[in-house]
Amino acid sequence: NILTKRNGLIGVDIGSSCVKVAQLTRRSGRFALQNAVVLDRHISTSDAPHGKDSFSVRDVGQLLLACEHFSGRSAATVVSMSACEVKSEPVDSELAVAGLDDFARQIAERDSCLPKPMQHDYWRTQIDSRDDTLHVVATPKQLALDVAKQHGLAGWDCTAMDGLPKALARAVAMTEGPNAPPVAAIDWGWSQVTVCVVQDGEALFVRSFRHGALATIVEPLCQELRLTRHEASKLLSQTGICGVEGEASLTRTTRVVAQHASAGVQQFEQEVGRTLGYVASRRRTISPERILLFGGGAMIANIATDVGRTLDRPADVWNFPAIEGMRHSETPSPVPLLGPAIALSALSWEAS
């Protein structure tokens, strides 16, 4: 019985720079984060952000072998949007449900830059009688097979592979509750930024882009301060972009952070602003009133305040309750990184 299950699936989010793994527990009808780990993928900080043709999962099995204290073998997985394409097209309201899969496959493979054949996921949104849309996320089928193989090397079964927009929408629904106004859920990843307008657990609008991705912020710091990617990310989580509040003067380090990292943040804010402006002008009924930040960019100290001020709407870093004594290896808590993995773990309690 799905209602009596105590532990969720093992949620796995395979990003360009790290793999995030999370598992929920359910106690007295409430979800809590039981176990989580963030595993660095050892890419060179001198490399450009991964493109769609260079994304690989060949190291994932070895990384998953290092995971301890997770219950069961069943996993659900999502891969970076840098390895995917997302497309949205109007759909004839008369189109039968049985025809949606073929239509989605046609959309996925049309004008695609990814190797064929494709593995696709889709969902349909109907905002009003004039706005009936089919959203399709696709990735190479060979990559999907490789993901399943890498899980097998760690002794796990990949029972589901989800699209990132659907995982983000589920994560928002887990914390926002029903009947909440539209929210802009933004996954600020290493090589890709994904903006989803979410309401009632559905991604109503999706756009993914590379401008202002976390690599454009971290890599200049690595080069200027001779830091590893992990060290530069930790520095950002401690100082933010403008230095530590309350300092009479900036140290050389915080000056370098302000000088070299702020350009990437400005790119991010400009592109998100353009995206939300488009939604407000073309699809006013779903224009989001609030921003929720996920991913590595959400770990930058005080970043929600800066984003909210620049984009003129409330912004928060997504959070989720953890059980007391939850195991994780990161300081500060890595929960903003774990949204998609947490949402995937919750699939254990969804009716099939």
Side-chain angles (χ1 to χ4, degrees), residues 5 41 63-64 67 69 73 225 230 236 262 274 292 322:
K5 290 182 180 179
R41 303 185 72 184
L63 290 172
L64 295 182
C67 294
H69 311 297
R73 301 176 58 228
L225 296 175
H230 183 79
L236 285 168
S262 58
R274 284 184 58 223
L292 279 177

Side-chain angles (χ1 to χ4, degrees), residues 31 49 63-64 86 133 229 256 286 302 312 342:
F31 296 127
L63 290 172
L64 295 182
V86 58
T133 306
R229 186 180 76 251
V256 169
I286 64 167
N302 305 313
D312 194 27
I342 287 172

Side-chain angles (χ1 to χ4, degrees), residues 221 225 235-236 239-241 253-262:
L221 297 183
L225 296 175
L235 177 63
L236 285 168
T239 70
I241 299 301
T253 298
T254 52
R255 279 199 303 272
V256 169
V257 171
Q259 179 181 355
H260 293 276
S262 58

Side-chain angles (χ1 to χ4, degrees), residues 123 125 127 133 135 182 197-199 202-206 283 286:
W123 66 100
T125 58
I127 299 171
T133 306
H135 310 269
V197 177
V198 174
Q199 188 173 31
E202 291 280 3
L204 305 176
F205 173 90
V206 183
R283 306 181 73 179
I286 64 167

Side-chain angles (χ1 to χ4, degrees), residues 174-187:
M174 293 173 72
T175 57
E176 294 297 289
N179 304 316
V183 171
I186 304 178
D187 184 69

Side-chain angles (χ1 to χ4, degrees), residues 250-330:
L250 297 180
T251 65
R252 174 184 178 273
T253 298
T254 52
R255 279 199 303 272
V256 169
V257 171
Q259 179 181 355
H260 293 276
S262 58
V265 174
Q266 290 170 6
Q267 277 189 349
F268 167 84
E269 292 172 339
Q270 289 169 0
E271 206 62 34
V272 171
R274 284 184 58 223
T275 303
L276 298 184
Y278 172 86
V279 174
S281 64
R282 301 293 184 90
R283 306 181 73 179
R284 187 182 300 271
T285 57
I286 64 167
S287 182
E289 299 179 6
R290 181 163 158 254
I291 294 169
L292 279 177
L293 297 174
F294 296 76
M299 300 292 289
I300 299 172
N302 305 313
I303 193 62
T305 300
D306 188 79
V307 169
R309 181 173 57 245
T310 302
L311 299 178
D312 194 27
R313 68 195 74 202
D316 296 290
V317 173
W318 186 81
N319 203 357
F320 194 83
I323 65 171
E324 186 176 351
M326 184 203 79
R327 303 179 183 92
H328 67 76
S329 57
E330 300 290 313

Side-chain angles (χ1 to χ4, degrees), residues 151-165:
H151 281 67
L153 294 176
W156 293 358
D157 295 323
C158 182
T159 60
M161 191 167 174
D162 210 355
L164 178 64

